[in-house]
Amino acid sequence: MADINQGSASDTVLGPTLDDLLRLPEFEYHKLPTPTCIRLLEILPSRPGVIRCAMHGLELKDEAEDDEDEPLSYIALSYTWGNPTTVYEEPAPNIEGFKMPEDYEKLPWVFSSRGPERSTLFNIYNAKKDYIENHPWIPHERVDSQNTPLKPIEINGCLTHVQENLHRFLDELRHMKHVSNLGETDPVEGENNASFGYLNWAVSAPIWIDSICINQNDLAERASQVQLMGRIYRNAHSLFAWLGPKDSFTFDAVLSIDTLSELDPEFEGSLSLSSIPDMDLVSWFSLFAFFQRLWFRRAWITQEAIFGRRLTVFCQAGIIPWRTLESAVNTLERTGLGLQMAKLGRNLLTSQPLSENTKQIRNLSGLLDDDDDSPKLEPAPELEIEPGDALTFIRAVQHHRLRLRAFSSKDNDEQNKTVRQPSLLSVLSLFRNTSASDPRDKVFAFLNLASGTFGLLPEYRASVQSVFINTTEAIIRGTKSLSILSQVQEPCDTLIENLPGWVPDFSCRLRSTPFDSGDDDVFFRASGMDTEAHFEINSDGTLEVDGIQFAIVLESPDFEKHNDFQSVLLAIVRIPLWYPILVGGETCTPSSDEDMEVFDVDENKPRISRRRISRMEALWRTLVCDTSRDSNGVQHPAPQSVGRGFSNWILVHLLEAWYLFQDLNSNDDKLGSVTKLAAKNLFTSLGIWGLLYEGKHVPLTDDTVGFSAKIPDVAAMAAAEEGKIESESGSVNSKPSYLPSASRIQAYLHRKRPEKVPAEEGDPQAAIHGQWRHAALMQFTEEERVEIFGFEKAMRAKMAGRRLFSTREGLLGLGPRSLFYEGQITYRVFILKGTKVPYILKRLGNGTYRLVGEAYIHGIMHGEAIETLERASSDRSWCQRIKLA
């Protein structure tokens, strides 16, 4: 092959120059001869920067049954239409000319927060300082929502235009085809084989690209080809996933993926960001930036990744087999490193304090009196691209590919289907947080992935509202279930107007993973086993259902005002010492300490039983929704190890507050006001613990809204415990278990503090923990730290986008983040027939109800409430008909 950079005789072969290309006639599509015909492109030799293609048709063969069927000899492309990159860098300022202390605030790793008496506190953001010193650039997020400039290409001697990202791929493919310098070689056998032999063949094969091979202006053809998507990707020999051009993060990211994919999958220890060989702070952020690319979030990418064979990821110079990427993501998810990486990346992009050190200092500002008129803390800025979405997407694709493969297996015969094809609702739930430029594609892009699509077809002439309403109605009628109500978003997140409140706006993301995904593996059955929904969809857009109001939401801690630890413990001061698992009819007080009590609510009605657990156990089980995930899958109910992790998590926070106060108190008088805040932080935490230790119950009344706790005498409490024998339930002096005893707190407070803490410079995990939290964690054994991290991981996953709340009936639950955003609203907990989880509703002025969101309430998630009510009322008078607007 002649050098493409030379002229002369090869010019005719290489085609027109860019100027000549722009003078070609416009390309026009010809009608496809059959409904199962597709168009393919062949990349022709051309000059640098000029793309020449030949287009021809291909008749698809019958639907492939499984991966063993012989594919056709073409490649399919998966890519994003717009700018695929969201993390950019700008040079860090040159600080050599800075004058100290007047320019101290200008340092990019210094942040400020308000202090007492209108003072300003300056803190060093050590993670960012270390990052910039090793990589002198400042990262920031930029998502280009506008379409990128169109670039010209030639097809069959005519001119057309494509998006810039696609043009870059075609140019890269043209370059790879040129440098490969091959003839007609056979592909190398083996899925995801990225060897040169395989790639040499692949880059020379015809390629299918949706935006070019489908006439996007012909709505009828577009709808018809969309229905063929599954067959197109199944029939393709291979799938290229183009993530976009390389950037400064690509090289480190690819190396990090290789490193993580080779870690022992059986390892279950407490891996940290610092314990991975050859990965430093810059490596972890590079990997984070890689996963922030938009390819992992596009709705149409989903079926491409699921159906595609021999999937290979391209990021220009970086080439990654899909299985390698899956293995790396499995490591991140299994070990919890994915959450740590997301935390690191989020805070570097938003310039928010990362380490517990700096967060502790900043959180002290939240302890200032409410009547202080000094500037309040600004809420942390949100990222447009949510960290962690890419990992969730890859795991979901992996799960779906394995499930479809098992479903299509010859061993899974029609007479005895052990594996079911995913339902439409479960697919919509699994990939809800993907994005699409056309909102209707948040439904249409997933129809090929599910069984039972209820006659739904891609119809681009229908409005967005009608597509979403018709989809919701079809799923409710087809499944005879109301599980789709769990897909309804927070009201403030709604993007599409004029939708009924019970119809999900599929175009917007959900802040939390639904408790009820619509799949068969959902643990909960709040309305009982095998119950069908009783519903009626009215012409006025309302949905009538049967249900029962079970509780009234009483209070939800303000996590923005208090730190997480204090908010969590404050919540259960409102709860009675012994938690009522079942609440029905009148409330009764148990008279003994047995685990199971039976009460006579009414002599004419069946007796009602309640199982007794402490409010501390109810709290930690609520925080994790009584589930725990490990290498063997999800456990329900959660094992006792999670409760032990919760108990030690309390102790870690108390120790951290104690070490913070010690260090600040040892400094000079300039920090006197800050030291007072640190003391208030410590004593507030100890005061809340003291209330729980003493078994105090502070019901919510007008007089107790702003109650305060006195500082407990831990030493005296510990002395009183001496000689007492701990009960079988793990409590001392009849105090509930899972709350650290006074003697244990006393012992840990007086333990010798670890003298040496790893320096934050160059240590990504230390950058997150900080010296006070690290010192506290080092007081525990390796096994105890694993349990602490396990509890935190489970709690963060379930609490994401949710609020902890208590009810008037003494129950604990998790509900939507928007609870109490509106004043003077009574939030009611309903159990609806045919639902797996409770729902929170608010009553409107016309007697109808508005759905606020789903809830987890510990003790009523398995039909206990309905069973109790049915035993107490044989005529089902407890059930009522309600109308959702």
Side-chain angles (χ1 to χ4, degrees), residues 191-416:
E191 184 171 327
N192 289 332
N193 192 325
S195 69
F196 282 110
Y198 163 67
L199 287 178
N200 283 342
W201 174 87
V203 298
S204 300
I207 190 166
W208 183 86
I209 303 172
D210 58 355
S211 64
I212 301 177
C213 296
I214 298 176
N215 183 358
Q216 300 295 326
N217 295 321
D218 185 337
L219 294 182
E221 177 184 310
R222 184 175 159 192
S224 174
Q225 293 274 296
V226 162
Q227 296 180 62
L228 291 177
M229 288 285 198
R231 293 178 63 180
I232 292 172
Y233 286 102
R234 285 193 183 100
N235 275 285
H237 180 277
S238 305
L239 176 67
F240 284 175
W242 171 251
L243 270 60
K246 65 180 179 181
D247 56 21
S248 59
F249 306 113
T250 304
F251 181 76
D252 281 338
V254 173
L255 289 180
S256 299
I257 289 170
D258 285 339
T259 297
L260 291 169
S261 68
E262 294 172 357
L263 289 181
D264 184 359
E266 299 300 322
F267 183 79
E268 289 293 337
S270 58
L271 280 178
S272 70
L273 298 183
S274 305
S275 64
I276 306 301
D278 303 320
M279 289 186 66
D280 58 12
L281 201 61
V282 177
S283 302
W284 281 109
F285 186 78
S286 296
L287 184 60
F288 168 84
F290 175 86
F291 285 124
Q292 290 296 97
R293 288 177 176 255
L294 292 180
W295 184 87
F296 299 106
R297 291 158 178 84
R298 182 174 167 239
W300 281 111
I301 294 291
T302 305
Q303 67 169 331
E304 299 165 8
I306 289 173
F307 290 141
R309 308 179 187 222
R310 302 174 182 85
L311 175 52
T312 304
V313 174
F314 287 81
C315 194
Q316 202 162 352
I319 301 176
I320 309 169
W322 181 257
R323 284 183 174 174
T324 301
L325 192 63
E326 281 183 340
S327 180
V329 169
N330 288 340
T331 297
L332 291 172
E333 290 290 289
R334 186 183 69 255
T335 60
L337 293 177
L339 293 175
Q340 299 292 331
M341 179 185 70
K343 183 177 181 180
L344 170 70
R346 180 193 299 275
N347 286 275
L348 281 176
L349 282 184
T350 59
S351 295
Q352 293 299 300
L354 171 67
S355 78
E356 300 298 330
N357 262 22
T358 48
K359 280 172 42 178
Q360 279 280 13
I361 294 291
R362 194 171 196 189
N363 285 342
L364 294 181
S365 299
L367 295 174
L368 296 176
D369 294 335
D370 290 338
D371 58 0
D372 188 335
D373 59 357
S374 57
K376 304 297 182 184
L377 282 177
E378 293 294 329
E382 293 185 1
L383 292 177
E384 191 169 343
I385 303 301
E386 182 64 25
D389 277 359
L391 305 188
T392 301
F393 173 80
I394 294 170
R395 286 293 302 274
V397 167
Q398 179 187 27
H399 169 79
H400 210 86
R401 284 168 66 101
L402 291 173
R403 188 165 174 176
L404 286 179
R405 188 172 300 170
F407 175 79
S408 303
S409 170
K410 294 179 174 61
D411 296 331
N412 197 41
D413 56 73
E414 289 294 335
Q415 285 74 29
N416 185 29

Side-chain angles (χ1 to χ4, degrees), residues 433-615:
N433 288 343
T434 56
S435 59
S437 55
D438 187 333
R440 294 168 292 190
D441 285 336
K442 288 298 295 292
V443 173
F444 297 159
F446 304 108
L447 294 178
N448 286 327
L449 297 176
S451 65
T453 54
F454 314 112
L456 295 170
L457 296 172
E459 178 51 80
Y460 287 99
R461 287 169 292 192
S463 68
V464 176
Q465 289 85 351
S466 63
V467 169
F468 289 178
I469 292 172
N470 292 340
T471 299
T472 303
E473 290 186 2
I475 290 175
I476 292 176
R477 295 184 192 279
T479 62
K480 295 182 173 59
S481 164
L482 298 175
S483 290
I484 198 169
L485 297 183
S486 290
Q487 297 295 318
V488 175
Q489 67 289 339
E490 301 265 3
C492 59
D493 294 330
T494 302
L495 300 176
I496 305 301
E497 298 179 348
N498 301 320
L499 285 174
W502 50 273
V503 173
D505 178 357
F506 294 104
S507 69
C508 70
R509 63 176 294 113
L510 296 179
R511 293 173 180 254
S512 55
T513 302
F515 295 132
D516 183 2
S517 64
D519 212 343
D520 296 332
D521 59 359
V522 177
F523 290 112
F524 309 125
R525 295 291 186 274
S527 66
M529 297 294 293
D530 303 322
T531 59
E532 290 186 356
H534 294 179
F535 63 88
E536 184 174 346
I537 301 173
N538 300 317
S539 58
D540 62 356
T542 58
L543 173 68
E544 289 189 45
V545 295
D546 286 344
I548 177 64
Q549 178 180 309
F550 188 76
I552 299 291
V553 178
L554 193 63
E555 186 181 38
S556 181
D558 189 349
F559 279 69
E560 296 177 359
K561 182 175 180 181
H562 301 278
N563 62 43
D564 289 0
F565 167 71
Q566 293 178 1
S567 296
V568 164
L569 293 191
L570 276 171
I572 53 169
V573 174
R574 305 296 194 188
I575 302 300
L577 182 63
W578 294 104
Y579 184 76
I581 286 289
L582 296 181
V583 178
E586 301 177 18
T587 55
C588 304
T589 303
S591 57
S592 71
D593 291 340
E594 296 298 325
D595 284 342
M596 183 69 71
E597 286 292 324
V598 178
F599 309 102
D600 288 321
V601 177
D602 188 318
E603 61 182 4
N604 297 319
K605 294 181 180 179
R607 305 170 82 198
I608 299 175
S609 63
R610 289 191 183 130
R611 174 178 173 263
R612 280 162 44 90
I613 61 173
S614 72
R615 61 184 177 185

Side-chain angles (χ1 to χ4, degrees), residues 659-718:
Y659 294 153
L660 167 64
F661 170 71
Q662 280 185 318
D663 283 359
L664 294 182
N665 195 42
S666 64
N667 286 317
D668 55 42
D669 291 337
K670 293 180 180 179
L671 288 178
S673 56
V674 181
T675 305
K676 292 178 182 178
L677 292 179
K680 184 176 181 180
N681 176 51
L682 172 62
F683 296 149
T684 299
S685 296
L686 284 172
I688 299 172
W689 167 85
L691 285 174
L692 297 174
Y693 180 86
E694 295 174 351
K696 299 291 186 184
H697 174 216
V698 186
L700 181 63
T701 65
D702 292 340
D703 297 330
T704 63
V705 171
F707 76 94
S708 59
K710 66 178 182 179
I711 304 172
D713 189 339
V714 178
M717 293 175 171

